[in-house]
Amino acid sequence: MRRRDFLAAGAALPLLAGVSRAALAQAATVRQGYQTNMWGMPTYYLLRSGALEKHGIKYEEFAVPSGNITMQQMVGRQVDLGTYAGPSFILGHARGGLVAIAQIEEVGRTVRIMARKELGISKVEQLRGRKIANQSGSSISQVFTDTIAPKAGLKKEDWQEVRMNVNDMVAAMAAKTVDAMINVEPYNAIAEADGLASTIMDYWDVDRMPVFMAATPEFVQQHPDAAVGYLKAWMSVADDFRNNKKKVSDTIYSFYTSKGYKLSPATFAKAIGTVEVSPGFPSGLQGYMQEQAQVLLREKKIKEMPDWSKALRPEFMQKARG
C-alpha cells in the first residue's frame, strides 16, 4: 500500500467505527425460541409486531411446546434467545452458561393444577394415588414436584406422573387417561370451558413465576448492540399489551385458531388476561432466584449456587431504557 493510500484508509477508520456500531444490530439475525403456550405468546407477538424490524433486527423463529425445550436448544447453541421461568433458566445457566437479559413477564396465574371435573377433587392432597399429566423437566413441573406436592404431604411415590407435552393434556383429560394435569393457558381455559376440568389452585400465591429472556453468552458478547435494540423492541411491545389490547389479542388468537384449537374469543380473553408483560430487571430478582436455586441444590439438580454476576445481566436493559 502506498503512503497516501494508507493515510486515506486511516482517516476513514473513525467514520467506519461509527457506522459499524449502528450496523451491528442490522447485521444480527436472532434465532428466537419460544413456547406455544401462553408464556410464549408475548414473544410470538413481538415477532409479528414489526418492532424488531424497526430496530434493524432480522430473526428466525423456533416454536416448541415448552420453554424447557427452548432451554435445551440454547444449551446446544441451536437458538440464541428464548423465554422460560426461573428453574429452567438456572438449569440452562448451569449446563450452558446461559444469561438472563431481562424479566419479560409474570405468569403465575397462567399455571393451574386441574382435576377431571367428575372426580370432585378440590385439594392437592386429594391427588394421592392419581395419574397426573406433567411436562417433566419444565419449570411448572419442578415447582409442583419440589414445592407444592411436598407441602401437601405428597411424596413422589404418592402419585403417578404421566409425562406429556402441555398441548396434549386436554385431550388426555377428555379421554380419561389422566386424572389431573399441571398445565398453562390457554389449555386450562379450554378444559374449563369444555366442562372437562375444575381448578384446584393456580401458582400465583406460591410463585408469581417471572419469565426471563435468556441469551447465549456468545450472542451478547458478539452482538451487544443488537441485544439492546432487541430489548427496545420489547418495550414497545409491552406498550401494546397495555394500550392496544385488541391488536395483541387478535394477533395471538389467530395463532391458536390457525392450529385448529376451537375456543371462543371470551375464553381466549380470559386466558391472555393472566399474563402480565412488563420487561425490566426488578430489584428483588436476585433474591427470588437465590430461593429457586436453593431448591434445585436441595434436589441435587444443580451442583453449586450460580454466580449471579455472571447469570443476571441487567446492563442491556439499562442501556435499552437509556
Side-chain angles (χ1 to χ4, degrees), residues 30-34 43 47 60-62 79 81-82 213 230:
V30 173
R31 295 179 299 172
Q32 176 73 69
Y34 65 94
T43 302
L47 300 179
E60 298 175 33
E61 57 185 297
F62 296 80
V79 170
L81 294 161
M213 183 57 67
Y230 174 82

Side-chain angles (χ1 to χ4, degrees), residues 102-122:
Q103 175 184 307
I104 296 297
E105 54 197 299
E106 290 184 315
V107 295
R109 290 192 179 94
T110 71
V111 188
R112 289 193 252 174
I113 303 169
M114 304 188 78
R116 291 207 330 263
K117 193 170 183 178
E118 70 269 21
L119 297 177
I121 294 173
S122 59

Side-chain angles (χ1 to χ4, degrees), residues 188-202:
N188 294 327
I190 292 172
E192 189 174 56
D194 290 349
L196 295 173
S198 57
T199 299
I200 297 174
M201 63 174 286
D202 69 32

